[in-house]
Protein backbone atom coordinates (compact mmCIF):
# COMPACT_ATOMS: atom_id res chain seq x y z
CA UNK A 1 0.00 0.00 0.00
CA UNK A 2 1.33 3.41 -1.01
CA UNK A 3 1.13 5.93 1.82
CA UNK A 4 2.37 8.85 -0.28
CA UNK A 5 0.61 12.11 0.52
CA UNK A 6 0.18 14.25 -2.57
CA UNK A 7 -1.62 17.48 -3.37
CA UNK A 8 -2.67 18.47 -6.88
CA UNK A 9 -1.30 21.94 -7.60
CA UNK A 10 -2.12 22.34 -11.29
CA UNK A 11 -3.65 20.34 -14.14
CA UNK A 12 -4.60 20.88 -17.76
CA UNK A 13 -4.79 18.68 -20.84
CA UNK A 14 -1.01 18.12 -21.17
CA UNK A 15 0.40 18.40 -17.63
CA UNK A 16 -0.43 17.58 -14.03
CA UNK A 17 1.72 18.97 -11.21
CA UNK A 18 1.54 17.53 -7.71
CA UNK A 19 3.31 18.25 -4.49
CA UNK A 20 4.53 15.03 -2.89
CA UNK A 21 4.41 15.86 0.81
CA UNK A 22 5.84 12.48 1.85
CA UNK A 23 9.09 12.96 -0.09
CA UNK A 24 9.04 16.76 -0.35
CA UNK A 25 9.34 16.96 -4.13
CA UNK A 26 7.25 18.11 -7.04
CA UNK A 27 5.87 15.41 -9.32
CA UNK A 28 5.24 16.58 -12.89
CA UNK A 29 3.38 14.29 -15.28
CA UNK A 30 3.41 15.38 -18.93
CA UNK A 31 1.19 13.63 -21.48
CA UNK A 32 0.35 13.52 -25.17
CA UNK A 33 1.82 15.49 -28.03
CA UNK A 34 3.13 18.69 -26.50
CA UNK A 35 3.80 21.75 -28.63
CA UNK A 36 6.52 24.35 -28.17
CA UNK A 37 3.85 26.57 -26.58
CA UNK A 38 2.68 23.75 -24.26
CA UNK A 39 6.23 23.08 -23.07
CA UNK A 40 6.89 26.74 -22.32
CA UNK A 41 3.53 27.22 -20.56
CA UNK A 42 3.99 24.06 -18.47
CA UNK A 43 7.56 24.94 -17.58
CA UNK A 44 6.57 28.43 -16.47
CA UNK A 45 3.87 26.94 -14.26
CA UNK A 46 6.49 24.61 -12.71
CA UNK A 47 8.79 27.58 -12.09
CA UNK A 48 5.97 29.56 -10.48
CA UNK A 49 5.09 26.65 -8.20
CA UNK A 50 8.74 25.98 -7.24
CA UNK A 51 8.95 29.60 -6.08
CA UNK A 52 5.57 29.55 -4.33
CA UNK A 53 5.97 26.24 -2.50
CA UNK A 54 9.76 26.31 -2.10
CA UNK A 55 10.11 22.75 -3.38
CA UNK A 56 13.60 22.19 -4.76
CA UNK A 57 13.51 18.62 -6.11
CA UNK A 58 11.46 17.64 -9.16
CA UNK A 59 10.40 14.25 -10.53
CA UNK A 60 9.60 15.03 -14.17
CA UNK A 61 7.75 12.17 -15.86
CA UNK A 62 7.68 12.11 -19.67
CA UNK A 63 6.59 8.47 -20.08
CA UNK A 64 3.28 9.54 -21.65
CA UNK A 65 4.77 12.18 -23.98
CA UNK A 66 4.77 11.48 -27.68
CA UNK A 67 6.52 13.20 -30.54
CA UNK A 68 9.05 15.95 -30.96
CA UNK A 69 9.05 19.13 -28.90
CA UNK A 70 12.64 20.18 -29.59
CA UNK A 71 11.52 23.67 -30.65
CA UNK A 72 11.51 24.47 -26.92
CA UNK A 73 14.85 22.76 -26.18
CA UNK A 74 17.10 25.80 -26.45
CA UNK A 75 14.71 27.92 -24.37
CA UNK A 76 14.53 25.17 -21.75
CA UNK A 77 18.29 24.85 -21.49
CA UNK A 78 19.25 28.51 -21.66
CA UNK A 79 16.37 30.16 -19.79
CA UNK A 80 14.20 27.74 -17.83
CA UNK A 81 16.79 25.57 -16.11
CA UNK A 82 18.88 28.61 -15.05
CA UNK A 83 15.68 30.23 -13.69
CA UNK A 84 14.87 27.05 -11.74
CA UNK A 85 18.39 26.98 -10.30
CA UNK A 86 18.10 30.61 -9.31
CA UNK A 87 14.80 29.73 -7.57
CA UNK A 88 16.64 27.04 -5.57
CA UNK A 89 16.30 23.83 -7.63
CA UNK A 90 18.62 21.11 -6.26
CA UNK A 91 17.77 18.01 -8.28
CA UNK A 92 15.74 17.28 -11.39
CA UNK A 93 15.02 13.61 -12.14
CA UNK A 94 13.82 13.32 -15.74
CA UNK A 95 12.10 10.10 -16.81
CA UNK A 96 12.43 9.58 -20.53
CA UNK A 97 9.51 9.03 -22.84
CA UNK A 98 9.51 5.74 -24.78
CA UNK A 99 9.08 7.94 -27.90
CA UNK A 100 12.42 8.33 -29.68
CA UNK A 101 11.51 11.84 -30.85
CA UNK A 102 10.65 12.95 -27.33
CA UNK A 103 13.87 11.41 -26.00
CA UNK A 104 15.84 13.35 -28.60
CA UNK A 105 14.08 16.55 -27.49
CA UNK A 106 15.06 15.84 -23.87
CA UNK A 107 18.68 15.25 -24.88
CA UNK A 108 18.69 18.44 -26.98
CA UNK A 109 17.46 20.40 -23.95
CA UNK A 110 20.28 18.97 -21.83
CA UNK A 111 22.80 19.79 -24.56
CA UNK A 112 21.66 23.42 -24.26
CA UNK A 113 21.94 23.44 -20.46
CA UNK A 114 25.16 24.69 -18.93
CA UNK A 115 26.47 22.43 -16.13
CA UNK A 116 23.49 20.02 -15.99
CA UNK A 117 25.03 18.07 -13.07
CA UNK A 118 21.80 18.47 -11.07
CA UNK A 119 19.72 16.84 -13.85
CA UNK A 120 19.68 13.07 -14.30
CA UNK A 121 17.71 11.08 -16.86
CA UNK A 122 16.10 7.72 -16.19
CA UNK A 123 14.11 5.03 -17.96
CA UNK A 124 12.74 3.72 -14.67
CA UNK A 125 10.65 5.81 -12.29
CA UNK A 126 11.72 3.77 -9.24
CA UNK A 127 15.39 4.57 -9.93
CA UNK A 128 14.53 8.25 -10.35
CA UNK A 129 12.76 8.26 -6.99
CA UNK A 130 15.74 6.52 -5.35
CA UNK A 131 18.08 9.19 -6.75
CA UNK A 132 15.88 12.02 -5.42
CA UNK A 133 15.79 10.37 -1.97
CA UNK A 134 19.59 10.27 -1.70
CA UNK A 135 20.97 12.61 0.96
Amino acid sequence: MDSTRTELLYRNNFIAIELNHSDNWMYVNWRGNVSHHDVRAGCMEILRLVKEYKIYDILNNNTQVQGMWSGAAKWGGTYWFPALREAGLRRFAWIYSPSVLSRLSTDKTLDNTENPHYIKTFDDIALAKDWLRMP
Side-chain angles (χ1 to χ4, degrees), residues 15-75:
I15 193 171
I17 305 171
E18 297 176 353
L19 175 55
N20 178 321
H21 291 282
S22 302
D23 290 302
N24 200 37
W25 67 51
M26 185 179 294
Y27 175 69
V28 181
N29 190 22
W30 297 84
R31 55 193 175 274
N33 285 301
V34 291
S35 69
H36 173 105
H37 172 70
D38 294 341
V39 170
R40 286 179 72 144
C43 287
M44 291 308 292
E45 193 61 34
I46 293 165
L47 178 60
R48 183 185 74 76
L49 292 168
V50 162
K51 290 176 179 178
E52 181 177 337
Y53 287 88
K54 296 178 177 26
I55 297 297
Y56 304 122
D57 294 321
I58 297 176
L59 180 59
N60 190 67
N61 187 352
N62 279 22
T63 57
Q64 298 176 52
V65 174
Q66 301 164 2
M68 174 94 48
W69 49 269
S70 63
K74 185 172 183 181
W75 174 86

Side-chain angles (χ1 to χ4, degrees), residues 69-84:
W69 49 269
S70 63
K74 185 172 183 181
W75 174 86
T78 60
Y79 172 78
W80 185 62
F81 273 118
L84 280 175

Side-chain angles (χ1 to χ4, degrees), residues 2 11 58 96:
D2 187 4
R11 177 187 303 253
I58 297 176
Y96 274 124

Side-chain angles (χ1 to χ4, degrees), residues 2 4 20 23 25 27 59 93 95 122 124-134:
D2 187 4
T4 303
N20 178 321
D23 290 302
W25 67 51
Y27 175 69
L59 180 59
I95 301 134
F122 299 88
D124 182 299
I125 195 165
L127 293 175
K129 288 177 178 181
D130 287 347
W131 181 70
L132 284 176
R133 288 182 180 124
M134 290 184 349

Side-chain angles (χ1 to χ4, degrees), residues 105-126:
S105 299
T106 297
D107 291 342
K108 188 173 178 184
T109 303
L110 295 176
D111 289 344
N112 281 287
T113 305
E114 189 175 325
N115 264 344
H117 62 279
Y118 56 94
I119 306 166
K120 189 162 170 66
T121 55
F122 299 88
D123 287 305
D124 182 299
I125 195 165

